[in-house]
Structure formats: C-alpha cells, structure tokens
Amino acid sequence: FTSALLVILQWACVKYHTVVPLGAAQPSHTCNDWTDMKIALLGHGTVGQGVDRIIANRVRGVEVARILELPERLTDPRMTSRFEDIVEDPEIELVVECMGGLEPARSFIVDALGAGKSVVTSNKAVVAAHFEEFAACAQSTGASLLIEATCGGGIPWIASIEKVRRIDEVTSFSGIMNGTTNFIIDAMVRQGTDFDEALKRAQEQGFAERDPSADIDGIDVKNKTLIAACVAFGCACTSEFPVTGLRTITKADIDLFAAHGRTVKLLGRGVLRDGRYAVAVEPVALSSDTLEAHVPSNFNLVSLVGTTVGELKFYGQGAGMLPTGNAIVQDVIDYCEGRRPHYDFSADLSYDASLLRADYVLRTRATVEGARPFGPAAVVVRDVTAEEARRLLERACEEDAASFMAALPKEA
C-alpha cells in the first residue's frame, strides 16, 4: 500500500508541477519554472503572515515583494504604509488583500482592479457587500478577482461550484459554513455543556472572537451564503434574505431535538428553480442519520446539487490561519498557472421566498398563532417559508427575547 501511495504521489507531483525533495517533509510548488511573479500583501496579521510563510516555504516562482502595514508596524524592508507604493508599482501583478473589514479594503480592491492588477481576497464581508462592483471593475480592465478563501476555509468550495457550472445548472446548495457555531453545537451535544460554556471554550481555543456576534448571529454565514449564491446561480443575489443565528439556543433545546432523533446545525441554504431562487441562513434540526449531523468541532461540510452530477459534498477545516492561508495561496498558484475566473451576473432571476419551505419548531413562552405542541415549551408551525418563520420568531421575541427557532427539513 505504501509503495502504491508513493507512486500516486510522484505522479501527482509531476502532473501538478510539485517537487517533493527526497527526505523532505514539506513539498514546494513551482509556478511554471519560467515564472517570476511579484505580489503584494495588504495586511500582515494572522492571515497575512500565514500567506507569507506558505509562499516562502512552499511556492517557488512567486515573491512577496511588498506588504502594506500601519506606519507603526513597519518591521520588514518589504513593508510600506502607502498603498500607492503598491498600486503604482508596475512589477506588482497580483494583490492579496488580507485586511478584513469593509474600508479601506473595498477602496484598495477597486483601485487595484482599476489599475489592472488582479486581486486575491479572503474578505467575505467586503466581497458580499461589493461583489457585483468588483466583478464589473475586473471585467473592465481585464484583471481577475479570486475569492476561494472567502468561503469554507480550506475547502475548495467556490472552485467546485465553478467547475460544476461548466456543465450543469446548480439547483441547490447548503451546508455548515461556520466553524465557530459548529464547535459550540458539537460541544453542547457531545459534552453536555450549555451555550455560554461552549462559547467560552471556542474563544479559548481561538475558534471564536472576543465579540462573537458575527458568528453566533449568522452574519458570517450570511456573507458566505450570499457569495455562494452569486457564483452558483450567476446573479447578483439580494442581501435581503432571512438570517437567524444560534445566540439563544440552550442545552434543553439540544435535548429536545435529540429526543426526536435530530441534531441542530446552523446552515446556509440556496435553491434555484425555473428562473427563481431563494436563500436563507437558519438553524436546522437535521435527522441524526445525515452526515451533517455528525460534523465535529470547527469543521465545515457544504453540499451542492447539479442537474447531471447530482449531489456533491465537501468536508474540511472551515477556518483558521493555515486553512485560510492555504486557500489564498491556492488562488495565487491558480493565477500564476493561468486561471482567470470571470463572474457573470447576467442571469435574469427573481427572488421567490416560496422556494424554501419547511416546518419550524419554536421554543418560546409567547403565543404562536396556528402552532401545535412539539415538546416542553415548544411548538411546531407547519409548511411556512423561511421568511414567514423569521417573522414568527421576531414576533415571539417581542414577548420572550430568549425564543429559539429551528427548521425541520421535509426530507428528514
């Protein structure tokens, strides 16, 4: 078996131009031996340092020539605090944005693309907010926008969607897209902890920020879902869709759904049918015999359905310095080897909330019209859209701010 594995590895190394020196534990990649490409990093924090380290140790033919940093942090001769030093440098072909946030990241990306420099970014918030603008700017100058690292950490999620769309229409996608919330739920299920204790552990282990709002309120998943929908459906997806997080989930909720053979996961979902689409982010009580129900720790699992390929699932680390850095460097290598993504939002699609329907369980002390009993302090509402369910939860929260809601998928 070991000999066979080595043969396969050697074949892969030749096919993908990867050189594995004898006795070396760390492979290095050659971006076409003739290539000597200079790139710039915007930001040198956790992700930027990871990218810098991976390229220096594993990728030949690519040089991190400039790094944008704050004036008080110029600790490397490659560093500058002036973006003009990068965007006006004719030797810089590719800009890697690792800053995060909306501004000045958006302005820097627009200026770089406008100058004909291609951009790689892991910044899901800025891409979700300005995807259509970035795509149009890149098309106008012939630059490229590479966004693999915005969704799914080290999982090749965006590239897989693009590959499927070469042949198929993507009719739906869904998945666990946030490692923090999955870590929390997994700890509550496996270790019997309550939400606050599980969140504290996630923060201690670096899976959650000091302010975890973007994760536990579903904003991070919203951004990733919006980006995935734009790529999968070929349209400028609306940002106005229902988003519900996990902030109010309790151990009692976990136990209630377990008694019904279900496990709660926070999912981003999208569906396309007959020129219409719908997307949502919400807790979903999955049947315990699904793969998603057993995804542990901070891992992600995302799925798509294509018209001829059927269902595909992708599993892996959803976040962290190295998985995200890996995804960024994969985009750098792809660009180096000639890959030029083009995002076309010309599909004439309309948003139709009725495409996402399910039964919904609400654990609340409030009165929910038309609901039936489901368990202690919980009721179920049959066959409503994700938008209608979100409105029901908002009304319940007016009486009981601790109310919690989860969808019951029909296939379960």
Side-chain angles (χ1 to χ4, degrees), residues 62-235:
V62 176
E63 176 191 352
V64 178
R66 305 291 290 183
I67 300 172
L68 185 69
E69 256 297 356
L70 296 173
E72 64 271 19
R73 297 180 181 175
L74 303 183
T75 58
D76 185 298
R78 300 171 296 172
M79 289 182 174
T80 177
S81 60
R82 299 180 67 253
F83 178 65
E84 293 79 7
D85 292 340
I86 292 172
V87 76
E88 295 174 3
D89 187 341
E91 293 190 333
I92 300 296
E93 183 174 350
L94 184 71
V95 174
V96 179
E97 188 271 311
C98 305
M99 302 174 64
L102 295 179
E103 286 290 357
R106 175 208 159 267
S107 296
F108 288 163
I109 291 173
V110 168
D111 289 348
L113 292 171
K117 299 184 186 297
S118 295
V119 173
V120 172
T121 181
S122 61
N123 188 339
K124 64 191 75 68
V126 77
V127 173
H130 301 285
F131 199 174
E132 187 175 15
E133 177 188 17
F134 294 162
C137 189
Q139 185 173 9
S140 69
T141 63
S144 295
L145 177 69
L146 298 99
I147 59 169
E148 186 60 64
T150 62
C151 301
I155 299 171
W157 176 229
I158 298 299
S160 297
I161 294 174
E162 293 171 338
K163 188 172 183 178
V164 168
R165 287 197 72 218
R166 293 188 300 186
I167 298 174
D168 282 356
E169 180 179 74
V170 176
T171 56
S172 66
F173 68 87
S174 67
I176 300 166
M177 302 183 187
N178 181 269
T180 300
T181 51
N182 199 70
F183 179 94
I184 291 170
I185 293 296
D186 188 55
M188 295 176 73
V189 170
R190 296 176 187 270
Q191 301 163 20
T193 60
D194 61 24
F195 180 87
D196 291 338
E197 177 61 26
L199 173 57
K200 181 180 177 181
R201 291 183 186 179
Q203 290 170 323
E204 291 172 348
Q205 296 187 37
F207 297 138
E209 302 290 341
R210 179 177 299 179
D211 179 2
S213 299
D215 293 319
I216 64 177
D217 291 333
I219 305 305
D220 177 75
V221 181
K222 176 184 180 181
N223 289 332
K224 294 171 181 176
T225 300
L226 192 154
I227 293 168
C230 289
V231 177
F233 301 153
C235 70

Side-chain angles (χ1 to χ4, degrees), residues 15 57 124 153 370:
K15 180 175 176 63
N57 294 335
K124 64 191 75 68

